[in-house]
Amino acid sequence: MSRKNSKQLVLDASLSMGRNPGDRNRRCLLAIRKERHVAVFNLKLRREWRDHASPFAIRWLQAMEQKNLVRDEEGEQHSGLLIPARSCLVSDVHKVAFAKDFHLIQSALETGQLILSNEKEFPRFVAPACSSVKELLQLHYANPMIEGDQCILWLKGGAEKDADRRIDLWVRNHFTQT
């Protein structure tokens, strides 16, 4: 893929914790580098990567930086969305968890609107807020632990913002409602 067609992806620190050569996190990171997608970070996310990254993920990030495939973006202009989005959640525990990962949303909204993460609860907290905070409908989501090879194929295929990847629809498609 040419750099012209590459996407900007916010990469949650949960992807940096791969332990063995064949694991999905590692394969996702390799696909991101091979396809020349751009890894988006902010200060908090870099700190999380530094605290949790496997040796492979550290080397991967260094290689991405050498190839100018890393972008820093805080997305501070989207900080005002936190309070209205949090108010859509009922539980105080969920509100705290949502706020903890809000930096992913801020950086994604300012860049390619794509978030790649292994988190299961995060998209579940974002989805109910989409109806009240319309900006969140721009977010698209992928999760290699849930999707397996489909996620890797999506990355290799250009990481397009397909309708079923929109975060609220992704939640609906991957978790049964009871």
Side-chain angles (χ1 to χ4, degrees):
M1 174 179 291
S2 74
R3 179 80 185 262
K4 178 180 157 187
N5 296 321
S6 70
K7 301 298 185 299
Q8 296 178 8
L9 304 161
V10 174
L11 305 176
D12 185 31
S14 61
L15 297 170
S16 71
M17 301 178 202
R19 299 291 182 240
N20 63 63
D23 78 21
R24 290 178 184 154
N25 290 340
R26 184 179 286 221
R27 290 173 47 218
C28 277
L29 293 176
L30 290 171
I32 289 166
R33 185 173 65 203
K34 182 178 182 194
E35 300 303 322
R36 301 186 56 77
H37 294 305
V38 175
V40 176
F41 291 90
N42 54 51
L43 290 175
K44 185 173 181 182
L45 189 52
R46 279 194 180 268
R47 199 169 23 253
E48 290 173 354
W49 268 68
R50 186 180 57 240
D51 293 346
H52 302 292
S54 69
F56 170 81
I58 293 168
R59 289 189 308 275
W60 174 87
L61 182 54
Q62 290 169 341
M64 290 287 286
E65 288 172 334
Q66 290 171 351
K67 294 175 187 258
N68 291 321
L69 294 174
V70 176
R71 176 176 173 186
D72 290 310
E73 179 58 61
E74 294 299 316
E76 277 300 314
Q77 54 276 37
H78 302 286
S79 62
L81 301 176
L82 175 60
I83 292 172
R86 266 182 34 160
S87 69
C88 297
L89 301 171
V90 178
S91 160
D92 286 341
V93 172
H94 292 173
K95 289 178 182 185
V96 169
F98 179 85
K100 178 186 92 52
D101 284 333
F102 188 72
H103 64 285
L104 301 174
I105 292 170
Q106 289 178 268
S107 292
L109 286 173
E110 191 56 29
T111 58
Q113 296 90 34
L114 298 167
I115 299 172
L116 191 62
S117 173
N118 289 321
E119 295 292 327
K120 294 178 184 175
E121 296 305 318
F122 170 73
R124 287 180 175 174
F125 298 151
V126 177
C130 288
S131 58
S132 296
V133 182
K134 299 299 183 195
E135 292 89 342
L136 299 180
L137 290 171
Q138 297 174 54
L139 297 174
H140 290 70
Y141 191 76
N143 183 315
M145 286 300 149
I146 291 176
E147 298 175 49
D149 288 340
Q150 283 303 111
C151 184
I152 296 163
L153 291 172
W154 172 72
L155 289 166
K156 290 180 178 181
E160 296 298 329
K161 290 192 271 188
D162 302 321
D164 62 339
R165 291 227 172 257
R166 197 176 79 185
I167 199 160
D168 60 329
L169 299 176
W170 187 92
V171 169
R172 187 181 315 154
N173 293 335
H174 289 87
F175 298 106
T176 19
Q177 306 293 323
T178 54

